[in-house]
Amino acid sequence: MATIDGLMEALSFMETSLAQRVKAFGPEEKETIKQWKKLNTEYNIAAMKYLQMDDHNMALELLNRAKQLTSADVKFGEIDDRRKLMAITYNNMSCLFKRKGLLKTALGYAEKALKLETQSSKADNPACTHLNLCAILSRLGRHKHALEHCQCALDLLRSGNGGGADTPGLMNDFHDGGADSSIL
């Protein structure tokens, strides 16, 4: 718990630092944009840690903060940066709602994530989004569509365009996809 407390303290410090940078230098200054990306990334990382501990409320709060950073009135960075970070946040929101058993809500967020990834030249993890969609669709009983997403993920990974994928997590999702193919 001490590391989580320290993480929340660090996030608070980063929030203050970003606000001060925006006030002093504006949202388009190089170091401000760097701080914005870092804070957004840290919100997502912390949210996934809270999700692992089954603290869904805190995970959702942090993901909402990340979402706010990419959709606020103050626009940081290039639109592709915002799309990439929003896609990551939506994919993580999808994981949260999937864990809670709210599969249709999870599906909506995963579909939004994939749409943003297809619109961003900077998206770096579309294979994971496809596999997340595969797992959700499988649990919804939509096995044929799930298998299509599994195949897309596999094609992306084989072509080297799958992004920085988490291998153990991917293996579970590919297992789900394999189970879907045996159902068909």
Side-chain angles (χ1 to χ4, degrees):
M1 192 58 137
T3 58
I4 291 294
D5 290 339
L7 180 60
M8 294 308 294
E9 224 176 280
L11 287 173
S12 179
F13 176 78
M14 290 175 73
E15 290 167 349
T16 302
S17 174
L18 179 61
Q20 290 173 348
R21 278 195 173 281
V22 169
K23 188 175 180 180
F25 305 109
E28 292 301 320
E29 191 264 336
K30 183 179 174 184
E31 290 300 316
T32 302
I33 293 169
K34 185 177 173 183
Q35 180 73 22
W36 164 73
K37 289 178 183 179
K38 179 73 172 159
L39 179 57
N40 193 292
T41 300
E42 292 301 320
Y43 278 147
N44 275 279
I45 290 168
M48 293 298 94
K49 287 181 181 183
Y50 275 104
L51 182 59
Q52 288 174 348
M53 297 183 316
D54 288 324
D55 189 340
H56 300 162
N57 292 334
M58 189 55 138
L60 183 58
E61 179 183 327
L62 291 166
L63 290 171
N64 280 328
R65 288 184 195 179
K67 182 179 163 187
Q68 180 62 31
L69 271 181
T70 53
S71 60
D73 290 337
V74 176
K75 301 294 184 204
F76 295 97
E78 299 173 6
I79 192 162
D80 270 356
D81 290 324
R82 291 192 301 275
R83 285 179 180 149
K84 173 187 171 179
L85 292 171
M86 183 63 87
I88 292 166
T89 300
Y90 280 161
N91 201 29
N92 287 339
M93 288 178 120
S94 177
C95 293
L96 168 68
F97 288 111
K98 180 173 61 174
R99 174 83 62 95
K100 291 176 76 168
L102 300 170
L103 299 178
K104 289 185 180 181
T105 303
L107 179 61
Y109 278 109
E111 287 172 337
K112 285 180 184 181
L114 187 60
K115 182 178 179 181
L116 286 167
E117 285 177 334
T118 61
Q119 296 171 346
S120 173
S121 63
K122 296 184 178 184
D124 60 1
N125 217 356
C128 282
T129 304
H130 277 290
L131 289 172
N132 192 22
L133 279 160
C134 172
I136 295 165
L137 289 165
S138 178
R139 288 181 58 189
L140 286 169
R142 295 170 55 188
H143 302 293
K144 184 175 181 179
H145 199 191
L147 187 57
E148 290 169 3
H149 281 286
C150 185
Q151 187 60 54
C152 283
L154 186 57
D155 292 345
L156 285 168
L157 291 169
R158 284 184 178 150
S159 70
N161 295 321
D166 164 36
T167 305
L170 289 178
M171 298 315 290
N172 287 335
D173 290 335
F174 274 123
H175 177 270
D176 290 345
D180 283 333
S181 69
S182 69
I183 291 169
L184 297 175

